[in-house]
Amino acid sequence: MSKSYDAARDVFAGWEVDTEAALTALSQIPISMHCWQGDDVVGFEKKTGSSGGGIQATGNHPGRARTPEELRADLEFAYSKIPGKHRLNLHAFYMDTDESPDRDEIEYRHFIPWVDWAKEQGLGLDFNPTFFAHAKADDNLTLSHPDAGIRDFWIEHGKRSREIAARMGEALGSAAVNNIWVPDGYKDIPVDRMAARQRLEASLDTMCAEKHDKAHMLDAVESKLFGIGVEACTVGSHEFYLGYAIKRGTLLCLDMGHFHPTENIADKLSSVALSVDELLLHVSRPMRWDSDHVILQDDSILQMAQELVFTGLLDRTHIGLDFFDATISRTAAWVIGSRNMQKALLRALLLPQDRLKEVEENLDWTTRLMLTEEARDLPFAAVWEEFCERNEVPAGLGLIDDLDAYQASVAGRG
Ligand SMILES: C[C@H](O)[C@H](O)[C@@H](O)C(=O)CO
Ligand SMILES: [Mn+2]
């Protein structure tokens, strides 16, 4: 235990905050790191179409992972710099196989190398059907397409993805969240939104009809305000999926980039949690649009973490990341973003929660403001360093050399 941690523990104790309890709580929060930051959302299948689903990684930093082996090596490095045990969020088009199954032909066996690796690394896995980057998504319509043949193709993909996720969860002894994000929408103003939404709802119902053990797989649905090429209408809007999650008992996924830029996503947690059992977060940083920048310790993330801690929602929320920046080291992006999520949680866990709630209850808003502002100056960094040390990962400047050395080792990839 370092001298600075010792001193910090005393300072926090003066605020009636137990740093040991905060460290224990933080060590029990897994972050689901998204595989797609490692290769700019390209995936490993041999067949692709022209639709990117309105999402886009920009930049050309050297070192993009081109194979599952390269991606796993990058992930191993990233996890070795992130304190604690975490999860990997895999998309269906990251299959690891010599075969070329189409989306409606994928099977669990195409993902076994990922499961074996996750077991070896002590990681949990989460999963996502991939409803974009395919010729049958080129109209920007999949599950809501007017053509039943196209809908059936994607329904089959979704069914298989749920089955694969369930088998992953069973194999690893930890439920895989299977997140359904469907990019469907219209570039210009549609005249029959209702028909599109009815088709999406019916397709989702068929796709999710088979019951899987919740100990193995949990369905989540993710809404979006708009994407590039579908500016006028997204079929799976927030209202659509909020209703769907409530009616069908699925998790609701809130992606921080999928709302109007002035909306505060942290504010939504307590509202939706009154009507859905569990939540999935896609923690992201939109800049003017759903730009998926690497997350910072900015107000949006700090408030999100504080809401999770203060509302007692950590047990009902699965924290996933969703950003992809190709202008910087991809492994560093994972490390910086994941650690920032953890730092935000630690900051929230180190706040004098009981006292703050008490003064608010007493309408003493002056003291509330004074306490929240003074608490910003507490010696949080010493507690974070202690967490890193206990988990045998570097903190501060010690991290930079490691990140640089790894980036140099992958920069020669073609
Ligand atoms: C690749 C992911 O499925 C994707 O980012 C989705 O979650 C999303 O947020 C689309 O904007
Ligand atoms: Mn997302």
Side-chain angles (χ1 to χ4, degrees):
M1 196 178 298
S2 71
K3 274 191 190 154
S4 49
Y5 174 67
D6 239 8
R9 194 178 51 184
D10 290 347
V11 174
F12 278 104
W15 282 64
E16 292 165 7
V17 171
D18 180 351
T19 54
E20 285 300 315
L23 289 174
T24 303
L26 185 64
S27 69
Q28 288 161 3
I29 307 174
I31 308 294
S32 190
M33 210 163 79
H34 50 315
C35 71
W36 52 94
Q37 161 60 55
D39 79 328
D40 313 338
V41 213
V42 174
F44 299 132
E45 38 176 30
K46 283 131 205 150
K47 298 176 179 168
T48 49
S50 60
S51 168
I55 55 177
Q56 202 177 2
T58 47
N60 194 23
H61 204 72
R64 187 181 76 79
R66 299 157 302 174
T67 63
E69 290 74 22
E70 287 181 354
L71 189 58
R72 284 193 282 269
D74 293 354
L75 285 161
E76 278 178 38
F77 168 77
Y79 286 121
S80 76
K81 305 299 164 200
I82 301 166
K85 275 286 166 208
H86 300 286
R87 307 179 64 84
L88 175 69
N89 192 8
L90 206 56
H91 238 286
F93 72 156
Y94 285 80
M95 61 191 69
D96 184 356
T97 173
D98 291 335
E99 298 171 42
S100 311
D102 205 342
R103 299 279 171 87
D104 63 342
E105 296 166 337
I106 54 167
E107 291 180 30
Y108 178 65
R109 63 194 168 87
H110 301 130
F111 296 88
I112 287 178
W114 282 109
V115 179
D116 290 344
W117 174 79
K119 238 181 232 167
E120 186 190 294
Q121 300 289 315
L123 297 165
L125 286 181
D126 295 309
F127 200 65
N128 308 256
T130 310
F131 292 104
F132 53 89
H134 190 283
K136 286 197 166 66
D138 279 352
D139 294 327
N140 287 331
L141 296 169
T142 61
L143 290 177
S144 72
H145 202 292
D147 180 333
I150 296 201
R151 292 202 301 280
D152 288 346
F153 173 86
W154 290 111
I155 289 170
E156 186 61 27
H157 174 62
K159 283 183 180 172
R160 285 170 182 253
S161 295
R162 294 179 75 241
E163 165 77 24
I164 292 163
R167 300 246 339 239
M168 285 176 166
E170 185 176 9
L172 296 171
S174 163
V177 176
N178 181 59
N179 182 50
I180 300 164
W181 173 65
V182 178
D184 294 24
Y186 296 92
K187 183 172 177 69
D188 219 331
I189 302 160
V191 295
D192 199 351
R193 295 165 196 261
M194 180 62 106
R197 290 192 165 123
Q198 283 169 334
R199 287 191 295 264
L200 177 58
E201 184 180 60
S203 294
L204 289 168
D205 284 350
T206 309
M207 194 175 107
C208 299
E210 191 178 341
K211 296 281 167 253
H212 287 281
D213 189 337
K214 286 195 172 187
H216 302 154
M217 193 275 291
L218 297 164
D219 288 303
V221 288
E222 179 180 6
S223 69
K224 188 160 176 169
L225 179 62
F226 85 101
I228 294 174
V230 292
E231 290 85 357
C233 168
T234 293
V235 184
S237 62
H238 177 54
E239 293 74 10
F240 175 90
Y241 279 124
L242 180 59
Y244 193 85
I246 295 169
K247 275 203 293 193
R248 303 287 187 250
T250 70
L251 274 65
L252 181 72
C253 173
L254 296 176
D255 182 310
M256 294 174 72
H258 287 191
F259 294 85
H260 189 276
T262 61
E263 283 187 87
N264 177 1
I265 316 310
D267 179 59
K268 299 183 187 297
L269 297 180
S270 49
S271 297
V272 299
L274 294 175
S275 300
V276 298
D277 288 340
E278 290 187 54
L279 294 168
L280 169 65
L281 291 182
H282 273 188
V283 184
S284 192
R285 179 164 57 104
M287 198 180 285
R288 305 188 194 285
W289 69 291
D290 182 30
S291 61
D292 290 295
H293 281 69
V294 178
I295 60 167
L296 307 176
Q297 291 180 70
D298 63 10
D299 281 350
S300 69
I301 307 296
L302 295 174
Q303 286 177 26
M304 181 63 87
Q306 187 177 321
E307 278 298 301
L308 288 172
V309 171
F310 280 35
T311 51
L313 278 175
L314 280 169
D315 290 345
R316 292 165 54 196
T317 306
H318 304 256
I319 304 177
L321 306 178
D322 189 4
F323 50 76
F324 28 96
D325 187 341
T327 66
I328 59 174
S329 157
R330 295 171 184 81
T331 47
W334 269 323
V335 173
I336 296 164
S338 303
R339 287 169 63 112
N340 277 347
M341 186 67 235
Q342 290 184 294
K343 287 182 189 181
L345 288 163
L346 182 59
R347 281 185 183 275
L349 290 162
L350 289 170
L351 285 171
Q353 189 184 152
D354 293 342
R355 196 156 166 195
L356 282 165
K357 285 183 175 170
E358 188 187 317
V359 296
E360 181 168 284
E361 185 90 7
N362 293 333
L363 309 186
D364 185 357
W365 299 319
T366 310
T367 306
R368 183 184 64 185
L369 184 61
M370 192 275 287
L371 286 174
T372 54
E373 293 315 292
E374 287 298 305
R376 287 181 194 269
D377 305 329
L378 291 174
F380 150 83
V383 186
W384 170 252
E385 273 166 30
E386 179 70 15
F387 188 64
C388 289
E389 201 179 306
R390 289 185 193 181
N391 284 281
E392 296 173 5
V393 306
L397 292 177
L399 194 57
I400 292 178
D401 290 345
D402 293 353
L403 293 177
D404 282 352
Y406 191 78
Q407 176 56 33
S409 77
V410 300
R413 287 175 183 166

